Amino acid sequence: LSGTENRLVSLPLSRIRVIMKSSPEVSSINQDALFLTAKATELFVQYLATYSYKHGRGKEKNALTYTDLSHTAEECETFQFLADILPKKILASKYLKMLEKEKRDGEVREDNEEGEEEEDEAKAVGDSVGS
């Protein structure tokens, strides 16, 4: 890229090239494609930050916080694909309680499913005996 084009993007083009080449489908990268990907990424990050700032609590504190970003990823349909990347922060103790509850709920579901299967088998046997 020429020096002028290189100054039009803030992200390091070498890093973007590495990320793009990490895809098995990509064998070579055109310089124009690299530049456009970098510029599009910058514009996307700018839009995400601006949206999160305007719709979060950032205005109150005059700052953009991780909580603002995670809230945007969770609440705005446009950014929901980022929800796994920007999860809400929770305390470790709350997370452990959630895991324990899920484990208990899973055990209860398994017990119920086994009971339903036994009922279905008993019903099937009863039906065949009655015929």
Side-chain angles (χ1 to χ4, degrees), residues 7-86:
R7 285 183 293 215
L8 293 175
V9 292
S10 301
L11 297 173
L13 296 176
S14 60
R15 295 288 175 106
I16 292 174
R17 182 187 315 277
V18 168
I19 293 168
M20 291 173 76
K21 281 194 170 190
S22 70
S23 175
E25 296 89 32
V26 175
S27 57
S28 64
I29 300 166
N30 181 312
Q31 288 296 91
D32 292 337
L34 178 63
F35 173 77
L36 290 174
T37 301
K39 195 63 182 172
T41 302
E42 285 183 10
L43 292 172
F44 172 76
V45 170
Q46 181 181 15
Y47 179 67
L48 171 63
T50 303
Y51 186 95
S52 297
Y53 180 81
K54 286 180 180 177
H55 294 89
R57 295 185 178 174
K59 290 184 286 189
E60 298 168 8
K61 302 175 187 175
N62 201 23
L64 177 63
T65 65
Y66 179 88
T67 303
D68 295 332
L69 293 169
S70 66
H71 181 73
T72 297
E74 188 175 302
E75 300 298 323
C76 179
E77 189 174 328
T78 304
F79 298 109
Q80 283 185 344
F81 72 98
L82 295 172
D84 293 339
I85 298 167
L86 294 167

Side-chain angles (χ1 to χ4, degrees), residues 67-111:
T67 303
D68 295 332
L69 293 169
S70 66
H71 181 73
T72 297
E74 188 175 302
E75 300 298 323
C76 179
E77 189 174 328
T78 304
F79 298 109
Q80 283 185 344
F81 72 98
L82 295 172
D84 293 339
I85 298 167
L86 294 167
K88 279 190 168 182
K89 284 186 178 180
I90 60 170
L91 296 174
S93 58
K94 278 188 177 181
Y95 180 71
L96 292 172
K97 286 179 184 175
M98 284 173 42
L99 286 177
E100 193 174 305
K101 184 180 184 302
E102 285 179 13
K103 185 178 176 184
R104 277 185 275 131
D105 289 349
E107 289 173 359
V108 169
R109 261 187 245 114
E110 286 176 13
D111 290 345

